[in-house]
């Protein structure tokens, strides 16, 4: 937490001061009891001359004695009027106590919320920065749980930490000092008893961390199941798998129920246990202190003894609060462990210390003996090919041949395990990552859209988009007409993942996005394979417009769409087995011809 408080220590000082003043006025309300009782029952000599204020027990006591005596004297020695004086001070002190208590909370909450805002921001920025490969073993539901449930636990823990660092110690130390000035002997007796209670409470709180971490993992599993269910609802219903999914959900839900019960039992035990221990200690202190007060002569004055007991009773609440604080700390620590798995994850794909700028793509792209591993499994092996500026190169092959992985290496969504990729004879790792990606546009098989307006989806990544250029891009992508038919035109919201659009409309928006970006290098992952005939024709026309005067890398599932490519590269099990034009490869009678013949038979 401390790094987030840098530059805000003056706010912490204000928070501590407000807390201290709140405790001071709480003490004042109790401190009025003893001098009033002494004067009321003639246990002390009234002081008629102003002694001034000294910061000591006797000095403060004598000053209050003087004020009370003076007030009673000017009211015809009516001790009932002295009671009115005490009541007024009690009310004023209580008001001031609560004013400063409110101020401390008023200061703390923005500080706490700012810390959690920064932790969320760091988490989200790191999540976006990490390479795609990192999330291959992570479920979306689990990531969402870290951002929600774990972040909430950290938020609660931050409040507890601030109280533990900057509030509760002030309260406890202040009361300890006052109790020590009243009776050092009684205070030392109390000091022997308190650690015994603290050890017991701390032991219960510490045992909660493991259970809490298990609870948060179970919540993540439950959220993942819900996310999977929402994404696959159509298939679940089509295959009558409702009962199966219910069983999976209920099993996880029952585990979470059992863990929550276990945690709740321990958590709820902490506060009453600390209160019982506090009252037990109070009983022992009353017995021991009462014995001191009843001696002749008394080791502690009766009024001071009552004040000691009253202050100790006020001390029970912050001590009880400590048990809850320790629980919140362990809960937050468990959440923070899971958050830091993302925040502290190593990002292997990053810029060099002095990256070169890449303003324009001039000549060619070269893959030089490129290999790629995924979880120690060889996915691509010794890939070498050259793509000249303006060429259209098609990648074909069976599913799992490595086509998508190969094109993902160019914008550095993954990094090569061996070999190099060059743009204009310079290794892409030498360039700034953002410059390399600025040269590349992608249209994927599954259109990726966001719950935003059509306009902002087309101009994705641009802070100040040009409305005329957005409209022009939509026209080229054959999207302008259907956009105008929407209720709010280009400002129409398209829903989660573009749910308000048809498949063809979604794909034309992604093509308009690529046209708006105007990249030098275009990556196309068979954007028409999942569309109906009419939508396919409209999208294909848009793609042909998009590919004009660009260097294009096309992942082809339908081989009929790439027969006019400048070069066709055939991949099989991560290796290039053939390359050439359509005519050259058909003449060879090899694997490409087999793929073409197979598709013709199936069609």
């Amino acid at each position: 937490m401390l790094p987030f408080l840098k530059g805000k220590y003056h706010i912490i000082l204000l928070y501590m001061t407000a807390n201290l003043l709140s405790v001071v006025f709480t003490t004042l309300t109790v401190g009025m009891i003893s001098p009033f009782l002494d004067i009321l029952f003639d246990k002390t000599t009234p002081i008629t001359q102003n002694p001034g204020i000294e910061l000591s027990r006797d000095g403060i006591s004598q000053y209050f004695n003087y004020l009370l005596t003076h007030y009673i004297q000017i009211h015809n020695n009516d001790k009932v009027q002295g009671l009115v004086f005490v009541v007024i001070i009690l009310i004023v002190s209580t008001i001031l106590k609560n004013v400063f208590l409110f101020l401390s909370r008023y200061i703390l909450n923005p500080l706490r919320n700012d810390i959690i805002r920064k932790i969320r921001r760091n988490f989200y920025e790191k999540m976006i920065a990490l390479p795609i490969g990192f999330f291959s073993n992570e479920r979306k539901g689990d990531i969402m749980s870290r951002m929600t449930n774990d972040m909430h636990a950290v938020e609660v823990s931050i409040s507890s930490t601030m109280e533990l660092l900057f509030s509760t110690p002030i309260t406890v130390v202040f009361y300890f000092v006052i109790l020590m000035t009243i009776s050092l002997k009684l205070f030392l007796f109390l000091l022997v008893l308190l650690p015994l209670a603290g050890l017991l409470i701390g032991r219960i709180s510490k045992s909660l961390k493991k259970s809490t971490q298990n609870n948060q993992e179970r919540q993540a599993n439950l959220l993942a199941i819900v996310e999977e269910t929402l994404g696959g609802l159509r298939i679940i219903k089509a295959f009558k798998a409702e009962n199966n999914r219910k069983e999976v959900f209920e099993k996880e839900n029952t585990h979470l129920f059992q863990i929550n019960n276990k945690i709740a039992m321990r958590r709820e035990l902490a506060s009453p246990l600390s209160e019982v221990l506090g009252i037990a200690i109070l009983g022992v202190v009353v017995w021991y202190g009462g014995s001191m007060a009843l001696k002749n002569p008394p080791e502690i004055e009766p009024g001071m003894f009552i004040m000691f007991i009253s202050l100790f009773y006020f001390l029970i609440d912050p001590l009880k609060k400590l048990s809850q604080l320790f629980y919140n700390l362990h809960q937050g620590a468990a959440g923070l462990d899971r958050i830091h798995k993302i925040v502290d994850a190593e990002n292997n794909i990053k810029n060099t210390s002095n990256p070169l700028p890449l303003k324009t793509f001039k000549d060619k792209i070269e893959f030089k003996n490129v290999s790629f591993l995924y979880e120690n499994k060889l996915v691509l092996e010794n890939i070498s090919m050259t793509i000249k500026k303006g060429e259209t190169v098609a990648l074909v092959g069976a599913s799992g041949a490595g086509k998508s992985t190969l094109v993902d290496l160019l914008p550095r969504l993954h990094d090569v395990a061996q070999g190099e990729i060059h743009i204009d004879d310079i290794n892409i790792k030498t360039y700034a990552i953002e410059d390399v990606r600025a040269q590349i546009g992608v249209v994927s098989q599954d259109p990726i859209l966001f719950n935003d307006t059509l306009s902002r989806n087309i101009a994705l990544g641009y802070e100040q988009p040009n409305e005329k250029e957005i409209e022009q891009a939509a026209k080229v992508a054959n999207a302008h007409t259907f956009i105008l038919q929407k209720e709010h035109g280009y400002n129409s919201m398209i829903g989660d993942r573009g749910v308000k659009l048809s498949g063809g409309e979604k794909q034309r928006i992604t093509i308009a996005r690529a046209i708006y970006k105007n990249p030098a290098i275009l990556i196309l992952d068979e954007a028409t394979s999942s569309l109906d005939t009419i939508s396919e024709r409209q999208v294909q026309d848009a793609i042909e417009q998009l590919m004009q005067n660009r260097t294009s890398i096309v992942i082809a599932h339908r081989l009929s769409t790439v027969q006019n490519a400048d070069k066709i590269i055939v991949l099989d099990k991560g290796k290039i087995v053939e390359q050439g034009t359509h005519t050259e490869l058909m003449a060879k009678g090899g694997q490409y011809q087999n793929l073409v013949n197979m598709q013709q038979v199936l069609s």
Side-chain angles (χ1 to χ4, degrees), residues 8 34 56 71 177-178 200 206 227 246 273 331 338 357 373 388 390 407 417 454 472 482 490 532 572 574 583 594:
K8 297 187 177 181
S34 177
S56 65
Y71 190 85
V177 170
I178 300 296
L200 184 58
K206 191 174 181 180
E227 194 272 334
K246 285 178 185 177
L273 177 64
Q331 188 180 39
R338 286 169 43 78
L373 296 169
K388 294 180 180 178
V407 296
L454 286 161
Q472 183 59 35
F482 85 76
Y490 282 86
D532 60 83
D572 183 39
T583 305
N594 292 337

Side-chain angles (χ1 to χ4, degrees), residues 89 94 110 116 127 130 158 254 387 409 430 474 528 564 566 569:
I89 290 183
T94 303
I116 201 68
M127 185 179 71
L130 285 169
I158 285 171
T254 301
I387 303 169
L409 294 175
T430 308
T528 63
N564 295 323
D566 297 300
I569 295 174

Side-chain angles (χ1 to χ4, degrees), residues 261-311:
N261 284 343
K262 187 177 180 181
I263 290 174
M265 181 185 70
R266 293 183 181 180
R267 182 181 60 211
E268 299 305 328
L269 178 63
S271 182
L273 177 64
S274 60
E275 185 166 356
V276 168
L277 288 170
I279 294 298
I281 292 171
L282 179 63
V284 175
V285 171
V286 167
W287 165 77
Y288 187 75
S291 302
M292 291 171 61
L294 292 172
K295 286 183 178 181
N296 190 16
E299 292 184 64
I300 182 172
E301 295 298 325
M304 284 297 177
F305 174 60
I306 292 172
M307 184 177 173
F308 189 99
I309 297 301
S310 302
L311 285 175

Side-chain angles (χ1 to χ4, degrees), residues 95-108:
I95 291 172
L96 290 173
K97 165 206 161 184
N98 284 285
V99 165
F100 285 112
L101 189 63
F102 168 76
L103 283 175
S104 69
R105 293 291 178 265
Y106 184 79
I107 294 166
L108 173 67

Side-chain angles (χ1 to χ4, degrees), residues 350-352 354-358 364-370 409-410 412 414-433 435-436:
K350 51 190 176 184
N351 285 323
T352 59
N354 294 298
L356 295 176
L358 176 60
K364 62 185 176 180
I365 302 166
E366 290 182 279
F367 286 71
K368 295 186 173 184
N369 303 315
V370 168
L409 294 175
L410 185 57
R412 292 192 69 190
H414 306 290
D415 264 346
V416 300
Q418 294 177 355
E420 294 179 353
I421 301 173
H422 288 198
I423 293 179
D424 295 337
D425 296 319
I426 296 176
N427 192 330
I428 60 170
K429 291 184 178 181
T430 308
Y431 292 123
I433 294 174
D435 285 357
V436 173

